[in-house]
């Protein structure tokens, strides 16, 4: 915050030495900012687990924000379609917003299929080391298809949706996710426990 | 946060009734989220005043974030140039990010020339009534040109920069800004006092 420093000499005001930067905002919120990047198949439970984790963190007093299709696709990315190029730009913008929000001191959660390693790497590379945590919501395709909460798998199988991840478009599994949730084998609150334990281990929260 | 509610029946866990929404985050941070949209000529003092206001608010314990050219142009909007269309898209994206950050419970400050009424109205229309505060940093052109901190006016007068706001491109003054700073007549800390007084009047902070 050099601007405040610049005004020091002109104003006859005793300015505190506060630098209103990421470190200040992090300290203010008593947490290490980071981006928890949930990835997994449609129906894997990304939004459900991310939402439940956000609730848990908020109840513990932490400052969070959840980016998902609901608040991104109709706003920041409403000009984008579903071409390969537009999907990539979609993820890039989400990554940039997540980065700004981490800079604001928040624990950011995002819940997007983000099937390609390259695009997840793109976001990882935007952030300082240790601030990008890939959360692989690893639910077997059969289970996702059985749940089919939005009826999308049915449509994809019927050929009504093309390039559907897991059906006729590849999901590239994370090779070394910071958090690997075997989401078919645990309850949501158990999965949240696992995330919280890892966040404590990584000293994101205490 | 309906996802948390949905897990209620499956988990045998007593979930609190917390809705992790804007109202929760606002209450958690003890402030009314809003967007303080600084507008004015190049060299008017937008970044300086916005930065000094952010420092003051942070020292008072409020949770803020400042969007400016430094953190936007090289990231979220790095694919955009300076055509009329790209400038408009630039402001739209900044508006969408400011909206998301206000949804996260923050007091968002932004410092961009944003010379056109239409683009400022575009952002105003994205936000609920009362959450967009236009801050007109009203410094006379002569004073801005005298300061010329980046040497841009000199270049514009020499014809080396085209479509420079105030020289050969119009700045459309706000007609009814929520905060009107006669920036040439006061010190930075006095201008910050004026902003803080207005924020209290509008019950953004207490």
């Amino acid at each position: 915050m050099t601007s405040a420093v610049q005004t020091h000499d002109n104003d006859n005001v005793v300015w505190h030495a506060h630098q209103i930067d990421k470190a200040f905002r992090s300290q203010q919120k008593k947490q290490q900012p980071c981006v928890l990047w949930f990835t997994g198949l449609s129906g894997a439970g990304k939004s459900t687990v991310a939402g439940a984790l956000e609730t848990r963190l908020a109840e513990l007093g932490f400052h969070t924000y959840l980016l998902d299709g609901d608040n991104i696709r109709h706003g920041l990315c409403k000009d984008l379609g579903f071409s390969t190029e537009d999907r990539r730009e979609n993820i890039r913008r989400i990554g940039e917003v997540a980065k700004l929000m981490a800079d604001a001191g928040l624990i950011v959660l995002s819940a997007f299929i983000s099937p390609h390693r390259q695009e997840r790497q793109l976001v990882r590379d935007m952030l300082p080391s240790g601030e990008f945590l890939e959360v692989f919501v690893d639910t077997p395709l059969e289970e996702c298809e059985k749940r089919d909460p939005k009826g999308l798998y049915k449509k994809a199988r019927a050929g009504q949706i093309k390039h559907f991840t897991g059906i006729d478009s590849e999901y590239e599994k994370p090779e070394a996710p910071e958090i690997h949730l075997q989401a078919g084998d645990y309850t949501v609150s158990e999965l949240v426990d696992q995330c919280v334990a890892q966040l404590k281990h990584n000293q994101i929260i205490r």
Side-chain angles (χ1 to χ4, degrees), chain A residues 13 15 21 32 37 51 54 78 116 142 147 155 161 196:
Chain A
V13 167
W15 284 84
D21 55 11
Q32 184 61 39
W37 190 272
E54 186 185 35
K78 71 177 178 185
H116 302 301
E142 307 73 54
R147 295 177 185 173
K155 286 186 183 174
I161 304 176
V196 168

Side-chain angles (χ1 to χ4, degrees), chain A residues 11 13 21 36 38 42 53 78 81 85 99 102 109-110 116 122 131 138 140 142 158 165 190 195:
Chain A
D11 281 7
V13 167
D21 55 11
L36 295 163
F38 286 74
S42 177
L53 176 58
K78 71 177 178 185
E85 193 179 310
K99 180 183 174 179
L109 305 93
S110 75
H116 302 301
L122 176 82
E131 286 192 19
D138 189 2
E142 307 73 54
T165 302
E190 285 168 343
C195 292

Side-chain angles (χ1 to χ4, degrees), chain A residues 8 11 43-44 49-50 68 71 86 89 96 113 126-127 132 140 144 148 150 155 177 184 188 196:
Chain A
H8 181 226
D11 281 7
V49 179
D68 61 17
N71 55 26
D86 278 8
E89 173 64 8
E96 292 288 1
I113 297 173
M126 288 179 191
L127 288 153
F132 179 88
C144 295
D148 204 7
K150 298 174 191 167
K155 286 186 183 174
V188 171
V196 168

Side-chain angles (χ1 to χ4, degrees), chain A residues 17 38 45 50 53 100 103 108-109 117 121 144-145 169 175 204:
Chain A
F38 286 74
L53 176 58
L100 289 170
D103 193 43
V108 187
L109 305 93
R117 280 192 199 111
Q121 188 64 42
C144 295
E145 194 165 354
S169 182
E175 288 170 329
I204 302 290

Side-chain angles (χ1 to χ4, degrees), chain A residues 11-30:
Chain A
D11 281 7
N12 295 319
V13 167
V14 179
W15 284 84
H16 295 266
H18 283 157
Q19 298 285 316
I20 310 307
D21 55 11
K22 191 176 191 171
F24 177 95
R25 291 183 285 258
S26 166
Q27 192 176 27
Q28 181 189 39
K29 295 173 178 60
K30 299 181 179 59

Side-chain angles (χ1 to χ4, degrees), chain A residues 1-201:
Chain A
M1 188 56 54
T2 53
S3 53
V5 176
Q6 284 169 354
T7 62
H8 181 226
D9 294 335
N10 306 328
D11 281 7
N12 295 319
V13 167
V14 179
W15 284 84
H16 295 266
H18 283 157
Q19 298 285 316
I20 310 307
D21 55 11
K22 191 176 191 171
F24 177 95
R25 291 183 285 258
S26 166
Q27 192 176 27
Q28 181 189 39
K29 295 173 178 60
K30 299 181 179 59
Q31 63 191 27
Q32 184 61 39
C34 69
V35 175
L36 295 163
W37 190 272
F38 286 74
T39 174
L41 295 169
S42 177
K46 297 180 297 300
S47 287
T48 301
V49 179
L53 176 58
E54 186 185 35
T55 299
R56 180 82 67 86
L57 290 172
E59 289 178 352
L60 291 169
F62 296 105
H63 296 258
T64 63
Y65 195 68
L66 172 59
L67 297 168
D68 61 17
D70 286 342
N71 55 26
I72 288 292
R73 267 286 175 188
H74 301 293
L76 181 65
C77 295
K78 71 177 178 185
D79 56 320
L80 300 174
F82 292 89
S83 69
T84 302
E85 193 179 310
D86 278 8
R87 281 173 191 268
R88 189 185 159 84
E89 173 64 8
N90 184 51
I91 295 296
R92 188 191 73 82
R93 288 190 203 167
I94 294 163
E96 292 288 1
V97 170
K99 180 183 174 179
L100 289 170
M101 289 195 159
D103 193 43
L106 301 175
I107 296 174
V108 187
L109 305 93
S110 75
F112 299 91
I113 297 173
S114 47
H116 302 301
R117 280 192 199 111
Q118 198 185 25
E119 63 195 10
R120 298 191 301 261
Q121 188 64 42
L122 176 82
V123 181
R124 185 184 288 274
D125 290 344
M126 288 179 191
L127 288 153
S129 175
E131 286 192 19
F132 179 88
L133 285 79
E134 200 170 10
V135 185
F136 180 23
V137 185
D138 189 2
T139 306
L141 176 63
E142 307 73 54
E143 174 65 20
C144 295
E145 194 165 354
K146 204 173 76 183
R147 295 177 185 173
D148 204 7
K150 298 174 191 167
L152 298 174
Y153 284 96
K154 200 174 171 189
K155 286 186 183 174
R157 290 288 183 196
Q160 291 164 20
I161 304 176
K162 299 289 182 193
H163 311 300
F164 193 80
T165 302
I167 305 299
D168 57 349
S169 182
E170 193 186 2
Y171 177 77
E172 298 173 358
K173 292 188 181 186
E175 288 170 329
E178 277 76 5
I179 303 179
H180 189 157
L181 302 175
Q182 305 283 0
D185 302 338
Y186 297 95
T187 65
V188 171
S189 76
E190 285 168 343
L191 297 169
V192 168
D193 289 342
Q194 292 172 27
C195 292
V196 168
Q198 191 64 44
L199 292 180
K200 285 182 177 169
H201 178 78

